[in-house]
Amino acid sequence: MYNSYDEAYKLSVENRDKFWGEAAEAVQWDKKWDKVLDDSRVPFYKWFPGGRMNTCYNALDYHVENGRGEQTAIIYDSPVTSTIQKITYRELLDEVSKCAGVLTSLGVKKGDRVITYMPMIPQAVTAILACARIGAIHSVVFGGFAPNELAIRIEDAKPKVVISASCGIEPRGPIPYKPLLDKAIDLSTHKPEKCIIFQRPQVTAPLIEGRDLDWHIVMKDASPVGCTTVAATDPLYILYTSGTTGVPKGVVRDNGGHAVALKWSMKYIYGVEPGDVYWAASDVGWVVGHSYIVYAPLLYGCTTVLYEGKPVGTPDPGAFWRVISQHNVKVLFTAPTAIRAIKKEDPDGNYLKNYDIPSLKYLFLAGERLDPDTYHWAGDLLHVPVVDHWWQTETGWPIAANCMGIEELPLKPGSPTKPVPGYNIQILDESGRELGPDKEGIIAVKLPLPPCCLTTLWQKDEHYVDSYLKEFEGYYVTGDGGFIDKDGYLFIMGRIDDVINVAGHRLSTGGMEEIISTHPDIAECAVVGVEDSLKGQVPVGFAVMKAGKDRKPEDVQKEVVGMIRSELGAIACLNRVCVIPRLPKTRSGKVLRSTIRKIADSKPYTIPSTIEDPEVLKEIDRALKDIGYAK
Ligand code: COA
Ligand code: AMP
């Protein structure tokens, strides 16, 4: 109900209370908020203090009570198991109520943590909503993470219960999850009291007596429980994301602000209506999965698609078009890398000829830079607007987008368009001065952040302030660099820290370096993200051997690749390691990662005046040429 984007945006920054107060009317409250925003403890802002509600009630019970009980809530489409299952809102509510009953019977109460480590199956959604139902704080760990990463999260979140499955299914076959979970619990000093395991027929897991429970058995005997009312400001979940070191950041999201912003976004950003079919082709382990597979579509009364498959190979590059056609998908949201994968295998889009997709209205892309080639290819093939939008785990919803439900602005390839209402985006120079149009700098958001953004890092208020708010007082620093052009369009030029994006997955090069440096023969190392035509970026490692360690480079490479796979997970995709005599450094000892990156990407670079020895760059260039970079 805004006349234009400009009107909505202006209202959101100039009359924040009115803007968000009106948006909050769409949510069902047990008790209305006392205030829209509490700014009495800056920088710890609180949205809707005094308000009480339940997120699961808003996502399920409310719809069943208001005539959506027989509507499909979830379409589970799993080409890897040849399954298509439709679950109505009423059925999902029954399952979630029983799962909440199981958790309650195990002593899980409001504020307790529950970790889920699950593949893309409906039970993953059930478990998440069951936690929300009883006010427990869920922390979903992506199934592709190795035991060590899971252990770090168990250690930090200290879950009372872990919910997992016997296996995930990748195109090359089932991946048993239970041994990974057992190893993670061994590694962690915190031990969950119980583990609930969903047994899948592809691989069943032996259960540990006294600790492990079979999902099917406990659910059979469970008594359903209702919703626990929580404060709008109570945490709904913790989601760990990569920072610049190996210690992930536990992003905390509240209940009230989260529901308000997500519900608003469905109408005004994605342009959908209740009852529409919405598909975020991501994974519940990532923020996109939390917000746009689970919460937003259900809060808004849509049908969400839960797809257990890949863009290609399950079985072919027509898979996405098949799903859209078969289920009448109105909006597809995925990462550019998925479209690049399809384009690579089917450059002429021949597979689309097998399907009619008149239902598709928009293709939304996020997670990494949308390159113009992919943008044009998708638009020409699908004949729908291709909407690049920019966001982060920390924000939980888009920071910049072309808001299709407000006003379709002209698109500029390479730009995620303009700030979403609620976000006061500024470009800062290194001293924190706001820069004018077309000037590249640090992208920051002027505080307060809008609802749904992180409220802190789990039990680390100080770390939250240090990581995001301390550098420039009054601003949240996004970690991305870019500029705003004279028409107000934002351009994201990439991360300004050691975070990289591999196939839309956010990873820390610092974290990988920490793992590699534990190799007994390696004296020092560096990891940089280099351009990749399919995955956007991939990490490349550089290792300097300890004196006297005369090892075959190919053996070292194999060992390092193995270390990263087993400590971090195969999703890191670190497949190339150069063994070099020394690293390029400044005289003060700082590794020149950005220069290495430019050499690898065959981009022009200037030799930094502070370099210790410029000859090293020639060695790097040679090493990179040997593995197919630096052309
Ligand atoms: N559980 C276990 N292992 C997993 C996993 C999971 N949930 N997800 C990925 N992996 C493994 C894969 O099996 C693969 O292992 P391998 O090297 O032993 O074969 C490795 O991690 C890398 O997987 P992936 O990133 O899927 O690479 P790929 O080369 O197999 O496929 C794409 C390339 C582009 C098709 C794929 O990366 C993709 O679908 N990307 C889209 C990602 C996305 O949606 N991101 C969400 C952001 S919105
Ligand atoms: P994640 O927290 O995993 O969602 O990753 C967030 C990071 O992904 C951002 O800080 C950006 O670096 C990158 N990113 C996400 N969306 C976009 C986009 N549309 N354009 C460019 N980069 C993006």
Side-chain angles (χ1 to χ4, degrees), residues 117-120 142-145 168-173 175 177 180 281-283 286 288-289 309-312 320 333-342 365-368 391 501-505 534-535 565 569-573 575:
Y117 181 64
M118 298 184 91
M120 284 285 285
F142 174 59
F145 277 127
I169 300 165
E170 284 294 293
R172 67 192 148 89
I175 311 250
Y177 274 21
L180 308 178
S282 177
D283 188 288
W286 305 115
V288 173
K310 302 266 175 178
V312 294
F320 274 25
F333 173 1
T334 190
T337 190
I339 303 296
R340 285 197 299 270
I342 297 170
L365 297 172
E368 51 170 329
W391 53 303
N501 255 285
V502 180
H505 306 144
L534 175 64
K535 299 194 176 186
R565 283 179 77 92
I571 45 152
C573 298
N575 296 320

Short mmCIF file of all heavy atoms in Angstrom, two decimals, residues 117-120 142-145 168-173 175 177 180 281-283 286 288-289 309-312 320 333-342 365-368 391 501-505 534-535 565 569-573 575, ligand 1:
data_model
loop_
_atom_site.label_atom_id
_atom_site.label_comp_id
_atom_site.label_asym_id
_atom_site.label_seq_id
_atom_site.Cartn_x
_atom_site.Cartn_y
_atom_site.Cartn_z
N TYR A 117 20.83 -31.13 12.81
CA TYR A 117 21.87 -31.43 11.82
C TYR A 117 21.21 -32.40 10.85
O TYR A 117 21.21 -33.61 11.09
CB TYR A 117 23.05 -32.05 12.57
CG TYR A 117 24.26 -32.41 11.75
CD1 TYR A 117 25.00 -31.44 11.10
CD2 TYR A 117 24.71 -33.73 11.67
CE1 TYR A 117 26.15 -31.78 10.38
CE2 TYR A 117 25.86 -34.08 10.96
CZ TYR A 117 26.56 -33.10 10.32
OH TYR A 117 27.70 -33.43 9.61
N MET A 118 20.55 -31.84 9.86
CA MET A 118 19.65 -32.67 9.06
C MET A 118 19.74 -32.36 7.57
O MET A 118 20.09 -31.25 7.18
CB MET A 118 18.20 -32.43 9.52
CG MET A 118 17.97 -32.81 10.95
SD MET A 118 16.26 -32.64 11.43
CE MET A 118 15.62 -34.26 11.06
N PRO A 119 19.39 -33.34 6.77
CA PRO A 119 19.30 -33.08 5.33
C PRO A 119 18.00 -32.37 5.00
O PRO A 119 17.22 -32.02 5.90
CB PRO A 119 19.34 -34.48 4.73
CG PRO A 119 18.76 -35.36 5.79
CD PRO A 119 19.07 -34.73 7.11
N MET A 120 17.75 -32.17 3.73
CA MET A 120 16.55 -31.43 3.29
C MET A 120 15.32 -32.34 3.26
O MET A 120 14.85 -32.74 2.19
CB MET A 120 16.84 -30.83 1.91
CG MET A 120 17.74 -29.63 1.98
SD MET A 120 16.84 -28.20 2.59
CE MET A 120 15.91 -27.80 1.12
N PHE A 142 24.35 -26.83 9.02
CA PHE A 142 24.29 -27.33 7.64
C PHE A 142 24.90 -28.75 7.59
O PHE A 142 25.98 -29.00 8.13
CB PHE A 142 25.07 -26.38 6.73
CG PHE A 142 25.21 -26.85 5.32
CD1 PHE A 142 24.09 -27.09 4.54
CD2 PHE A 142 26.47 -27.04 4.75
CE1 PHE A 142 24.21 -27.52 3.22
CE2 PHE A 142 26.61 -27.46 3.44
CZ PHE A 142 25.47 -27.71 2.68
N GLY A 143 24.18 -29.66 6.91
CA GLY A 143 24.59 -31.06 6.87
C GLY A 143 25.93 -31.30 6.19
O GLY A 143 26.53 -32.36 6.38
N GLY A 144 26.40 -30.35 5.42
CA GLY A 144 27.68 -30.55 4.73
C GLY A 144 28.88 -30.23 5.60
O GLY A 144 30.02 -30.39 5.16
N PHE A 145 28.65 -29.75 6.83
CA PHE A 145 29.80 -29.44 7.69
C PHE A 145 30.36 -30.71 8.34
O PHE A 145 29.61 -31.60 8.73
CB PHE A 145 29.40 -28.45 8.79
CG PHE A 145 29.43 -27.01 8.34
CD1 PHE A 145 28.33 -26.19 8.51
CD2 PHE A 145 30.57 -26.47 7.77
CE1 PHE A 145 28.36 -24.86 8.10
CE2 PHE A 145 30.61 -25.14 7.35
CZ PHE A 145 29.50 -24.34 7.52
N GLY A 168 22.27 -38.08 4.82
CA GLY A 168 21.87 -37.14 3.78
C GLY A 168 22.10 -37.86 2.46
O GLY A 168 22.76 -38.91 2.43
N ILE A 169 21.55 -37.31 1.38
CA ILE A 169 21.76 -37.98 0.10
C ILE A 169 22.30 -36.99 -0.92
O ILE A 169 21.65 -36.00 -1.26
CB ILE A 169 20.46 -38.65 -0.40
CG1 ILE A 169 20.02 -39.67 0.66
CG2 ILE A 169 20.69 -39.34 -1.75
CD1 ILE A 169 18.62 -40.16 0.50
N GLU A 170 23.51 -37.23 -1.34
CA GLU A 170 24.16 -36.42 -2.36
C GLU A 170 24.10 -37.21 -3.66
O GLU A 170 23.91 -38.44 -3.63
CB GLU A 170 25.61 -36.17 -1.95
CG GLU A 170 25.78 -35.13 -0.86
CD GLU A 170 25.36 -33.74 -1.33
OE1 GLU A 170 26.02 -33.17 -2.19
OE2 GLU A 170 24.34 -33.24 -0.81
N PRO A 171 24.25 -36.54 -4.80
CA PRO A 171 24.15 -37.28 -6.07
C PRO A 171 25.06 -38.51 -6.13
O PRO A 171 24.73 -39.50 -6.74
CB PRO A 171 24.55 -36.24 -7.11
CG PRO A 171 24.20 -34.93 -6.48
CD PRO A 171 24.43 -35.10 -5.02
N ARG A 172 26.23 -38.43 -5.43
CA ARG A 172 27.11 -39.61 -5.52
C ARG A 172 26.72 -40.70 -4.52
O ARG A 172 27.37 -41.73 -4.42
CB ARG A 172 28.57 -39.20 -5.35
CG ARG A 172 28.91 -38.68 -3.97
CD ARG A 172 30.29 -38.03 -3.95
NE ARG A 172 30.33 -36.94 -2.98
CZ ARG A 172 30.65 -37.10 -1.71
NH1 ARG A 172 30.93 -38.27 -1.23
NH2 ARG A 172 30.66 -36.06 -0.89
N GLY A 173 25.64 -40.49 -3.76
CA GLY A 173 25.16 -41.54 -2.85
C GLY A 173 24.87 -41.00 -1.47
O GLY A 173 25.08 -39.81 -1.19
N ILE A 175 25.20 -40.03 2.41
CA ILE A 175 26.30 -39.66 3.31
C ILE A 175 25.79 -39.97 4.72
O ILE A 175 24.88 -39.28 5.20
CB ILE A 175 26.59 -38.14 3.24
CG1 ILE A 175 26.72 -37.66 1.80
CG2 ILE A 175 27.74 -37.74 4.15
CD1 ILE A 175 28.07 -37.28 1.34
N TYR A 177 25.14 -39.57 8.33
CA TYR A 177 25.32 -38.41 9.22
C TYR A 177 25.66 -38.84 10.65
O TYR A 177 26.31 -38.12 11.39
CB TYR A 177 24.01 -37.59 9.29
CG TYR A 177 23.84 -36.56 8.19
CD1 TYR A 177 24.53 -36.64 7.00
CD2 TYR A 177 22.96 -35.49 8.37
CE1 TYR A 177 24.34 -35.70 6.00
CE2 TYR A 177 22.77 -34.53 7.37
CZ TYR A 177 23.47 -34.64 6.19
OH TYR A 177 23.28 -33.70 5.22
N LEU A 180 29.16 -38.84 11.85
CA LEU A 180 29.66 -37.46 11.94
C LEU A 180 29.18 -36.83 13.24
O LEU A 180 29.92 -36.14 13.95
CB LEU A 180 29.20 -36.63 10.74
CG LEU A 180 29.48 -37.22 9.35
CD1 LEU A 180 28.91 -36.31 8.25
CD2 LEU A 180 30.98 -37.39 9.13
N ALA A 281 15.46 -22.36 -3.50
CA ALA A 281 16.29 -23.55 -3.74
C ALA A 281 17.61 -23.36 -3.02
O ALA A 281 18.62 -23.00 -3.61
CB ALA A 281 16.50 -23.74 -5.24
N SER A 282 17.56 -23.57 -1.72
CA SER A 282 18.75 -23.42 -0.89
C SER A 282 18.75 -24.62 0.06
O SER A 282 18.27 -25.69 -0.31
CB SER A 282 18.67 -22.08 -0.15
OG SER A 282 19.76 -21.91 0.72
N ASP A 283 19.24 -24.44 1.25
CA ASP A 283 19.27 -25.52 2.23
C ASP A 283 18.85 -24.94 3.57
O ASP A 283 19.22 -23.79 3.88
CB ASP A 283 20.69 -26.09 2.32
CG ASP A 283 20.76 -27.35 3.18
OD1 ASP A 283 20.64 -27.25 4.43
OD2 ASP A 283 20.94 -28.44 2.60
N TRP A 286 21.31 -22.89 5.78
CA TRP A 286 21.76 -21.53 5.51
C TRP A 286 20.67 -20.54 5.87
O TRP A 286 19.50 -20.90 5.98
CB TRP A 286 22.13 -21.35 4.03
CG TRP A 286 23.14 -22.35 3.54
CD1 TRP A 286 22.93 -23.31 2.59
CD2 TRP A 286 24.50 -22.51 3.97
NE1 TRP A 286 24.08 -24.04 2.39
CE2 TRP A 286 25.05 -23.58 3.23
CE3 TRP A 286 25.31 -21.86 4.92
CZ2 TRP A 286 26.37 -24.00 3.39
CZ3 TRP A 286 26.61 -22.29 5.07
CH2 TRP A 286 27.14 -23.34 4.32
N VAL A 288 19.22 -18.37 4.04
CA VAL A 288 18.15 -18.33 3.03
C VAL A 288 17.12 -19.41 3.33
O VAL A 288 15.91 -19.21 3.21
CB VAL A 288 18.74 -18.51 1.61
CG1 VAL A 288 17.63 -18.65 0.58
CG2 VAL A 288 19.65 -17.35 1.26
N GLY A 289 17.61 -20.56 3.76
CA GLY A 289 16.71 -21.66 4.09
C GLY A 289 15.87 -21.34 5.32
O GLY A 289 14.66 -21.60 5.35
N GLY A 309 17.71 -31.87 -3.86
CA GLY A 309 18.35 -32.18 -5.14
C GLY A 309 19.27 -31.05 -5.52
O GLY A 309 19.50 -30.13 -4.74
N LYS A 310 19.80 -31.14 -6.72
CA LYS A 310 20.75 -30.12 -7.20
C LYS A 310 20.19 -29.50 -8.47
O LYS A 310 19.27 -30.04 -9.08
CB LYS A 310 22.09 -30.79 -7.52
CG LYS A 310 22.72 -31.52 -6.35
CD LYS A 310 23.70 -30.66 -5.60
CE LYS A 310 24.21 -31.40 -4.37
NZ LYS A 310 25.18 -30.67 -3.60
N PRO A 311 20.78 -28.40 -8.90
CA PRO A 311 20.30 -27.82 -10.16
C PRO A 311 20.64 -28.68 -11.38
O PRO A 311 19.98 -28.61 -12.40
CB PRO A 311 21.03 -26.47 -10.23
CG PRO A 311 22.09 -26.49 -9.18
CD PRO A 311 21.77 -27.57 -8.21
N VAL A 312 21.70 -29.46 -11.26
CA VAL A 312 22.10 -30.34 -12.38
C VAL A 312 22.38 -31.73 -11.81
O VAL A 312 22.69 -31.88 -10.63
CB VAL A 312 23.39 -29.81 -13.07
CG1 VAL A 312 23.13 -28.49 -13.76
CG2 VAL A 312 24.55 -29.66 -12.06
N PHE A 320 15.25 -27.77 -12.38
CA PHE A 320 14.57 -26.59 -11.82
C PHE A 320 13.29 -26.28 -12.61
O PHE A 320 12.27 -25.93 -12.05
CB PHE A 320 15.50 -25.37 -11.83
CG PHE A 320 16.39 -25.26 -10.62
CD1 PHE A 320 16.73 -26.38 -9.88
CD2 PHE A 320 16.89 -24.03 -10.20
CE1 PHE A 320 17.55 -26.29 -8.75
CE2 PHE A 320 17.71 -23.91 -9.08
CZ PHE A 320 18.04 -25.05 -8.36
N PHE A 333 13.86 -18.53 -5.90
CA PHE A 333 14.96 -17.80 -5.28
C PHE A 333 16.12 -18.78 -5.17
O PHE A 333 16.00 -19.83 -4.55
CB PHE A 333 14.49 -17.32 -3.90
CG PHE A 333 15.54 -16.68 -3.02
CD1 PHE A 333 16.85 -16.50 -3.42
CD2 PHE A 333 15.19 -16.23 -1.76
CE1 PHE A 333 17.80 -15.91 -2.60
CE2 PHE A 333 16.12 -15.63 -0.92
CZ PHE A 333 17.42 -15.48 -1.34
N THR A 334 17.24 -18.45 -5.80
CA THR A 334 18.40 -19.32 -5.69
C THR A 334 19.68 -18.49 -5.80
O THR A 334 19.63 -17.25 -5.82
CB THR A 334 18.34 -20.46 -6.74
OG1 THR A 334 19.36 -21.41 -6.45
CG2 THR A 334 18.52 -19.95 -8.17
N ALA A 335 20.81 -19.17 -5.85
CA ALA A 335 22.10 -18.46 -5.95
C ALA A 335 22.53 -18.44 -7.42
O ALA A 335 22.25 -19.38 -8.16
CB ALA A 335 23.13 -19.19 -5.10
N PRO A 336 23.24 -17.40 -7.85
CA PRO A 336 23.70 -17.35 -9.24
C PRO A 336 24.46 -18.61 -9.65
O PRO A 336 24.37 -19.06 -10.79
CB PRO A 336 24.62 -16.11 -9.26
CG PRO A 336 24.10 -15.23 -8.17
CD PRO A 336 23.59 -16.16 -7.11
N THR A 337 25.20 -19.20 -8.72
CA THR A 337 25.99 -20.38 -9.05
C THR A 337 25.11 -21.53 -9.56
O THR A 337 25.51 -22.29 -10.44
CB THR A 337 26.83 -20.82 -7.82
OG1 THR A 337 27.74 -21.80 -8.22
CG2 THR A 337 26.00 -21.33 -6.69
N ALA A 338 23.88 -21.62 -9.04
CA ALA A 338 22.98 -22.68 -9.49
C ALA A 338 22.60 -22.44 -10.97
O ALA A 338 22.56 -23.37 -11.78
CB ALA A 338 21.73 -22.71 -8.61
N ILE A 339 22.37 -21.18 -11.31
CA ILE A 339 22.02 -20.85 -12.70
C ILE A 339 23.24 -21.08 -13.60
O ILE A 339 23.12 -21.59 -14.72
CB ILE A 339 21.53 -19.37 -12.81
CG1 ILE A 339 20.32 -19.14 -11.88
CG2 ILE A 339 21.21 -18.99 -14.26
CD1 ILE A 339 19.07 -19.93 -12.23
N ARG A 340 24.43 -20.73 -13.08
CA ARG A 340 25.64 -20.97 -13.89
C ARG A 340 25.85 -22.46 -14.15
O ARG A 340 26.29 -22.86 -15.22
CB ARG A 340 26.87 -20.38 -13.19
CG ARG A 340 26.96 -18.86 -13.28
CD ARG A 340 28.36 -18.36 -12.95
NE ARG A 340 28.75 -18.71 -11.60
CZ ARG A 340 28.53 -17.95 -10.52
NH1 ARG A 340 27.93 -16.78 -10.65
NH2 ARG A 340 28.92 -18.34 -9.33
N ALA A 341 25.51 -23.28 -13.13
CA ALA A 341 25.66 -24.73 -13.30
C ALA A 341 24.73 -25.23 -14.41
O ALA A 341 25.12 -26.05 -15.24
CB ALA A 341 25.36 -25.43 -11.98
N ILE A 342 23.51 -24.69 -14.44
CA ILE A 342 22.55 -25.10 -15.47
C ILE A 342 23.03 -24.63 -16.85
O ILE A 342 23.04 -25.38 -17.83
CB ILE A 342 21.14 -24.52 -15.17
CG1 ILE A 342 20.61 -25.10 -13.84
CG2 ILE A 342 20.17 -24.81 -16.31
CD1 ILE A 342 19.35 -24.42 -13.32
N LEU A 365 17.83 -13.74 -7.14
CA LEU A 365 19.14 -14.35 -6.93
C LEU A 365 19.89 -13.61 -5.83
O LEU A 365 19.79 -12.38 -5.71
CB LEU A 365 19.96 -14.29 -8.22
CG LEU A 365 19.36 -15.09 -9.40
CD1 LEU A 365 20.14 -14.81 -10.68
CD2 LEU A 365 19.37 -16.58 -9.12
N ALA A 366 20.61 -14.36 -5.00
CA ALA A 366 21.42 -13.75 -3.94
C ALA A 366 22.47 -14.74 -3.45
O ALA A 366 22.46 -15.90 -3.85
CB ALA A 366 20.54 -13.34 -2.76
N GLY A 367 23.31 -14.25 -2.58
CA GLY A 367 24.31 -15.11 -1.96
C GLY A 367 25.71 -14.78 -2.44
O GLY A 367 26.70 -15.09 -1.79
N GLU A 368 25.81 -14.17 -3.60
CA GLU A 368 27.10 -13.83 -4.19
C GLU A 368 26.81 -12.84 -5.32
O GLU A 368 25.64 -12.62 -5.67
CB GLU A 368 27.77 -15.09 -4.77
CG GLU A 368 26.80 -15.81 -5.66
CD GLU A 368 27.37 -16.93 -6.49
OE1 GLU A 368 28.54 -16.87 -6.86
OE2 GLU A 368 26.60 -17.84 -6.80
N TRP A 391 22.04 -9.66 0.62
CA TRP A 391 21.83 -9.79 2.06
C TRP A 391 22.84 -10.70 2.72
O TRP A 391 23.72 -11.22 2.06
CB TRP A 391 20.40 -10.15 2.39
CG TRP A 391 19.77 -11.33 1.73
CD1 TRP A 391 19.64 -11.55 0.40
CD2 TRP A 391 19.12 -12.40 2.40
NE1 TRP A 391 18.94 -12.69 0.20
CE2 TRP A 391 18.62 -13.23 1.41
CE3 TRP A 391 18.90 -12.72 3.73
CZ2 TRP A 391 17.91 -14.40 1.72
CZ3 TRP A 391 18.20 -13.86 4.04
CH2 TRP A 391 17.71 -14.69 3.04
N ASN A 501 32.96 -16.46 -0.79
CA ASN A 501 31.69 -17.10 -1.13
C ASN A 501 31.92 -18.18 -2.16
O ASN A 501 32.25 -17.88 -3.30
CB ASN A 501 30.76 -16.05 -1.73
CG ASN A 501 29.70 -15.66 -0.75
OD1 ASN A 501 28.78 -16.42 -0.52
ND2 ASN A 501 29.87 -14.50 -0.16
N VAL A 502 31.75 -19.43 -1.76
CA VAL A 502 31.99 -20.55 -2.68
C VAL A 502 30.63 -21.18 -2.98
O VAL A 502 30.00 -21.73 -2.08
CB VAL A 502 32.94 -21.59 -2.04
CG1 VAL A 502 33.17 -22.75 -2.99
CG2 VAL A 502 34.25 -20.94 -1.63
N ALA A 503 30.19 -21.06 -4.20
CA ALA A 503 28.87 -21.57 -4.61
C ALA A 503 27.79 -21.05 -3.66
O ALA A 503 26.90 -21.79 -3.25
CB ALA A 503 28.86 -23.10 -4.65
N GLY A 504 27.89 -19.77 -3.30
CA GLY A 504 26.89 -19.18 -2.43
C GLY A 504 27.06 -19.56 -0.97
O GLY A 504 26.26 -19.17 -0.13
N HIS A 505 28.09 -20.35 -0.64
CA HIS A 505 28.35 -20.72 0.75
C HIS A 505 29.42 -19.80 1.30
O HIS A 505 30.47 -19.63 0.69
CB HIS A 505 28.84 -22.17 0.87
CG HIS A 505 27.93 -23.17 0.23
ND1 HIS A 505 28.39 -24.29 -0.40
CD2 HIS A 505 26.58 -23.20 0.12
CE1 HIS A 505 27.36 -24.98 -0.87
NE2 HIS A 505 26.26 -24.34 -0.57
N LEU A 534 32.19 -21.29 -12.32
CA LEU A 534 30.98 -21.96 -11.86
C LEU A 534 30.59 -21.50 -10.45
O LEU A 534 29.46 -21.09 -10.19
CB LEU A 534 31.19 -23.48 -11.86
CG LEU A 534 30.05 -24.31 -11.28
CD1 LEU A 534 28.79 -24.15 -12.12
CD2 LEU A 534 30.43 -25.79 -11.19
N LYS A 535 31.55 -21.57 -9.53
CA LYS A 535 31.21 -21.33 -8.12
C LYS A 535 31.42 -19.89 -7.66
O LYS A 535 31.28 -19.60 -6.48
CB LYS A 535 32.02 -22.29 -7.24
CG LYS A 535 31.68 -23.74 -7.59
CD LYS A 535 32.15 -24.75 -6.60
CE LYS A 535 31.63 -26.11 -7.06
NZ LYS A 535 31.87 -27.19 -6.18
N ARG A 565 38.82 -31.09 3.93
CA ARG A 565 37.58 -31.86 3.78
C ARG A 565 37.15 -32.46 5.10
O ARG A 565 35.98 -32.45 5.45
CB ARG A 565 37.77 -33.00 2.76
CG ARG A 565 37.76 -32.54 1.33
CD ARG A 565 37.97 -33.73 0.40
NE ARG A 565 36.75 -34.52 0.26
CZ ARG A 565 35.84 -34.33 -0.69
NH1 ARG A 565 36.02 -33.39 -1.58
NH2 ARG A 565 34.77 -35.09 -0.76
N GLY A 569 34.79 -29.63 5.79
CA GLY A 569 33.74 -30.25 4.98
C GLY A 569 34.05 -30.11 3.51
O GLY A 569 34.79 -29.20 3.11
N ALA A 570 33.43 -31.01 2.71
CA ALA A 570 33.70 -31.00 1.27
C ALA A 570 33.24 -29.71 0.61
O ALA A 570 33.78 -29.29 -0.41
CB ALA A 570 33.01 -32.20 0.62
N ILE A 571 32.24 -29.03 1.22
CA ILE A 571 31.71 -27.81 0.61
C ILE A 571 32.76 -26.70 0.49
O ILE A 571 32.55 -25.75 -0.25
CB ILE A 571 30.51 -27.23 1.38
CG1 ILE A 571 30.79 -27.22 2.87
CG2 ILE A 571 29.22 -27.91 1.02
CD1 ILE A 571 30.05 -26.12 3.58
N ALA A 572 33.85 -26.81 1.22
CA ALA A 572 34.88 -25.76 1.13
C ALA A 572 35.50 -25.73 -0.26
O ALA A 572 35.97 -24.69 -0.72
CB ALA A 572 35.96 -25.99 2.18
N CYS A 573 35.51 -26.89 -0.95
CA CYS A 573 36.03 -26.98 -2.32
C CYS A 573 37.46 -26.46 -2.43
O CYS A 573 37.80 -25.78 -3.40
CB CYS A 573 35.14 -26.22 -3.30
SG CYS A 573 33.49 -26.88 -3.38
N ASN A 575 40.67 -27.40 -3.54
CA ASN A 575 41.26 -28.50 -4.30
C ASN A 575 42.65 -28.17 -4.83
O ASN A 575 43.30 -29.02 -5.40
CB ASN A 575 40.34 -28.87 -5.47
CG ASN A 575 39.01 -29.40 -4.95
OD1 ASN A 575 38.97 -30.15 -3.98
ND2 ASN A 575 37.91 -28.97 -5.55
N1 COA B 1 25.81 -32.87 3.00
C1 COA B 1 26.97 -33.49 2.73
N2 COA B 1 27.82 -33.12 1.74
C2 COA B 1 27.47 -32.07 1.00
C3 COA B 1 26.28 -31.36 1.22
C4 COA B 1 25.43 -31.81 2.27
N3 COA B 1 24.30 -31.18 2.56
N4 COA B 1 26.20 -30.36 0.32
C5 COA B 1 27.31 -30.44 -0.44
N5 COA B 1 28.07 -31.47 -0.04
C6 COA B 1 29.34 -31.91 -0.64
C7 COA B 1 29.11 -32.42 -2.05
O1 COA B 1 28.73 -33.77 -2.07
C8 COA B 1 30.48 -32.20 -2.69
O2 COA B 1 31.33 -33.23 -2.24
P1 COA B 1 32.43 -33.89 -3.23
O3 COA B 1 33.47 -32.83 -3.46
O4 COA B 1 32.95 -35.04 -2.43
O5 COA B 1 31.71 -34.30 -4.46
C9 COA B 1 30.98 -30.92 -2.02
O6 COA B 1 30.23 -30.81 -0.79
C10 COA B 1 30.74 -29.67 -2.86
O7 COA B 1 29.35 -29.64 -3.14
P2 COA B 1 28.61 -28.58 -4.06
O8 COA B 1 28.85 -27.21 -3.58
O9 COA B 1 27.20 -29.02 -4.16
O10 COA B 1 29.39 -28.67 -5.42
P3 COA B 1 29.10 -29.49 -6.72
O11 COA B 1 30.29 -29.27 -7.59
O12 COA B 1 28.70 -30.89 -6.40
O13 COA B 1 27.83 -28.73 -7.36
C11 COA B 1 26.60 -26.68 -7.77
C12 COA B 1 27.94 -27.41 -7.89
C13 COA B 1 26.74 -25.29 -8.36
C14 COA B 1 25.55 -27.47 -8.52
C15 COA B 1 26.20 -26.58 -6.28
O14 COA B 1 27.25 -25.95 -5.59
C16 COA B 1 24.92 -25.85 -6.01
O15 COA B 1 23.83 -26.37 -6.16
N6 COA B 1 25.03 -24.61 -5.54
C17 COA B 1 23.92 -23.80 -5.09
C18 COA B 1 24.18 -23.51 -3.66
C19 COA B 1 23.08 -22.80 -2.96
O16 COA B 1 21.92 -22.97 -3.24
N7 COA B 1 23.48 -22.01 -2.00
C20 COA B 1 22.58 -21.35 -1.13
C21 COA B 1 22.71 -19.88 -1.22
S1 COA B 1 21.17 -19.11 -1.48
#
